Amino acid sequence: MTFSPEIGHYALILALALALIQSVLPIWGSRTGDAVLMGTAGPVALGQFAFIALAFATLTHAYLVSDFSVENVFQNSHSAKPLIYKISGVWGNHEGSMLLWVLILGTFSALIALFGRNLPLSLRANVLAVQGWITAAFLLFILKTSNPFARLSPAPFEGRDLNPVLQDPGLAIHPPLLYFGYVGFSVSFAFAVAALIDGRIDAAWARWVRPWTLTAWMFLTAGISMGSFWAYYELGWGGWWFWDPVENASLMPWLAGTALLHSAVVMEKREALKVWTVLLAILAFSLSLLGTFLVRSGVLTSVHAFAVDPERGVFILAILVLFIGGSLALYAWRAPALKQGGLFAPISREGALVLNNLFLTASCAAIFVGTLYPLALEALTGAKISVGPPFFNLTVGALSLPLLLAMPFGPFLAWKRGDIAGVAQRLVWAFGAALVAAGIAFAMFRGGPVLAPFVIGLAAYIIIAAVLEITERVQLFRAPLATAWARARGLPRSAWGTAFAHAGIGVMLLGIVGETAYRQEMIVQVKPGQTVSMAGYDLTLEGLVPTQGPNYRDLVARLSVREDGVLTGLMEPAKRIFTARNMPTTEAAMRTNVFSQLYVSPGDTGEDGSIALRIFYKPMVLLIWIGTLVMIFGGLLSLSDRRLRVGAPKPAARRPRLEPAE
């Protein structure tokens, strides 16, 4: 099969036509009770996905064969570029990344069509219709402002190459993971809007929404974590989070999605918090759309952002107004008709989950204000202000502390009404572990921030509480071992998943406090043969060695590493020049010792053969990303729970419909 760029362009036009059909016929059938029209949603969604996949395959083929007659390939590829970066170059630019966005959107629509057969026909039709609206809007955006198949005539002989900072394995993985998270929340959004249209929101709805929300949350967690790790080792700054506006744009939907997951549990168990859960489903995807606008509109200057023309920003702003404004207007109209369901005492598992939602959404609001206020102020008055890490660290840190303290109590509290004193008694071992960990930190790390040992104690408290949650449920040490083993095997996987996810937060917190509170740093100018020492390591510059890569040149600083006078390894940080763009990048070198790292980033060279080195010692830094992996593993365990795999049972034949409020 010949993958002509025109085939890809035509496939997008056909996909748009099918998206428009998917947007209209199923919802019309839902309103008229026509099962045939409602039944068109599934096949049309599958057809739409097939055409988008064809378009994406066509663009990928153009990159693989270095077809520089395609402007997008010319601007972002090079014939000497390694294969992995030819593939990642497909989404390493505005047009290709938007095509990846709609491909993932089409993938979720196809998954709903294939695995949503247990949904009521009307709800399934409405959900796929809402997905069709979103897909049609973004396909129109691509075809109108961001055509990835535009041709150049005559075709250039060679391409301009991909942005060098994007030529990294981490950036080959980071955008797809992040987009699966962003776009995954469109399913929760579609369920919320469809339920509001249909006028039926109950515990079964919460059961249907949870696996889709959990899937999006896991992908977004992985995407944010991968982006953080990439920034840590690739940018050469040695940091893992910078409160960059685009980083904030991914964190906001993550916080809203986390709140949605917990709120949906209350709704499923008690049919409470209906209004709030639906609003969170709308907000999570709305914040994802906001992140898309910030990256694509050109209003931000960031290592993550694409510099684009204003027409694209205006188009995406129109999409924001349409979907966010429209969904909130529908919510305002239908929400008063929703009954809240079961009541519960403030001290209960429901109450703990409400408290969780309160602090998560407050943190999200603080980040929202801190990120957008400078932009709004500049647009309205022309004044420029900067809201940086001190603001976010103080506000988000202050809101996170009570949340982390209260988090272990939730799983131990009973539904409807709990005994907080009894739970505190059951957590006594966690409190003891916190005191021991804080004491050890005080003894080991002298001279650091005063509050750091307390945060280490808090992390230990969270981890041990997660372990106690499981041991209590299986009655370990209180029942015979065979009984405890049988109870452990019969424990729902969602319970295991919750424990792992909470423990992962504790592990990540250990990494954060270790890296931020106890890291060591120095900047030195080193000549060949000279030795510098840090944290028990002696680094000797053996020389500067030039090397040649496929599309770049390296100047490698070869450093021998000794511990107690014994040679233990070699570190090779490098200054890299990509020949096509004549653009330099920094390739840091890292040496791992369990969870800690020695980190060396090269700077400018001197005429005397010396080189500037920025050297860090980062205690426990790897626990930041190990913690996120533990959280994702917990999500996978919960998703594998049979109750979520099978989905909610079909609703009873008679179910009252909500009438709009007068």
Side-chain angles (χ1 to χ4, degrees), residues 232 238 240 508 510-512 514-515 595-598 617-626:
Y232 168 72
W240 58 276
M508 183 174 66
L510 278 177
I512 291 172
E515 196 278 337
F595 302 123
S596 303
Q597 282 196 325
L598 183 67
Y617 180 68
K618 296 175 172 289
M620 303 187 288
V621 65
L622 292 183
L623 292 179
I624 296 173
W625 300 289
I626 292 172

Side-chain angles (χ1 to χ4, degrees), residues 387-443:
V387 177
F391 168 81
F392 293 110
N393 289 336
L394 183 62
T395 55
V396 178
L399 290 167
S400 299
L401 182 60
L403 172 63
L404 295 173
L405 286 169
M407 185 176 68
F409 281 80
F412 286 94
L413 288 168
W415 293 102
K416 197 172 182 179
R417 183 180 297 277
D419 177 11
I420 195 167
V423 171
Q425 186 177 7
R426 294 160 75 183
L427 286 172
V428 66
W429 286 104
F431 295 134
L435 292 174
V436 170
I440 292 174
F442 267 120

